[in-house]
Amino acid sequence: MIELRNVAKSFGSVEVLKDISLDVHAGEVVSILGPSGSGKSTLLRCLNHLETADRGVIRVAGEPVGYKEKNGKLYELRPNEIAKRRRDIGMVFQRFNLFPHMTAIENIIESPVQILGHKKSAAIADAKVLLEQVGLGDKGDNYPSQLSGGQQQRVAIARALAMKPSVLLFDEPTSALDPELVGEVLQVMTKLAKEGMTMVVVTHEIGFARDVCDRVVFMDGGVIVEEGAPEDVIQNPQHERTKRFLARVL
Ligand code: ADP
Ligand code: MG
């Protein structure tokens, strides 16, 4: 579902991603761990066309990111074509980024109606089902300011799901939450994982990585230092840098 081959990305003279190769299979849930500044967000942003990689190949759901393939050749996509592709890749951010002047339902139906051209009545019916799924069936008419951080993040997840994406990317989805609200968001993510959603989750929640993810990737300094089954990487890290990082967060 996701394929990265020798991906590199620099900002000015700083190489933030150095030769990253990674595969994520359909239905797989992969967590990315690593210290601040190691390139985790940049990696997600490259997957979602928010940044363009300098080198290497990225494919999501079979399509090269940023390019279209014709007769074996790659052609750069135009901005409107990039926007179209981005629909297929859901992204949930640390800050929930809900529109403050819209209710939960209005937030969820915005893209299905405006971008996919769905009928408003059908989009509202879909949104209600999604809100039920994230445990907020009774909050559809609430504005973000009337919801807790955990509830807002669950609306943000429902909003991403409303586009029926092939993959969902999470960038530290619980880092901005009060500790007592982290669990309700992880619970929704666990349910999605069990239902077979393909997910890449940048997180510091080691428990989630260990118990829910199929694979853990540890990044440091723009490279993948090690990856493998959670029990291997977390309980028995092979590299000094992984050991040091885990000692700090566990
Ligand atoms: P992480 O998510 O692991 O904390 P990031 O991918 O956000 O790491 O950042 C990796 C490095 O790239 C950091 O040194 C950061 O300052 C730098 N960086 C990220 N985005 C930009 C940008 N748009 N312009 C310049 N430098 C950036
Ligand atoms: Mg980050």
Side-chain angles (χ1 to χ4, degrees), residues 11 16 35-42 51:
F11 292 110
V16 172
S36 178
S38 55
K40 307 180 299 295
S41 294
T42 305
E51 300 283 0

Side-chain angles (χ1 to χ4, degrees), residues 36-118:
S36 178
S38 55
K40 307 180 299 295
S41 294
T42 305
L43 179 64
L44 288 192
R45 292 170 62 82
C46 284
L47 289 175
N48 194 25
H49 311 248
L50 291 169
E51 300 283 0
T52 309
D54 301 329
R55 275 190 287 116
V57 179
I58 306 177
R59 284 172 187 276
V60 176
E63 302 277 3
V65 166
Y67 300 89
K68 63 186 159 195
E69 215 162 18
K70 233 181 184 173
N71 306 324
K73 277 193 183 158
L74 293 181
Y75 298 89
E76 266 185 51
L77 292 179
R78 291 192 293 269
N80 66 325
E81 295 172 313
I82 290 178
K84 239 184 232 174
R85 288 272 188 83
R86 198 176 282 146
R87 299 170 191 170
D88 196 38
I89 305 169
M91 183 111 172
V92 176
F93 300 91
Q94 181 173 344
R95 301 251 157 229
F96 336 114
N97 298 348
L98 296 176
F99 299 114
H101 59 292
M102 293 183 186
T103 65
I105 296 252
E106 287 166 350
N107 265 281
I108 295 169
I109 69 169
E110 174 72 8
S111 290
V113 170
Q114 297 301 330
I115 299 177
L116 300 181
H118 289 179

Side-chain angles (χ1 to χ4, degrees), residues 40-41 171-172 202:
K40 307 180 299 295
S41 294
D171 195 354
E172 300 197 30
V202 172

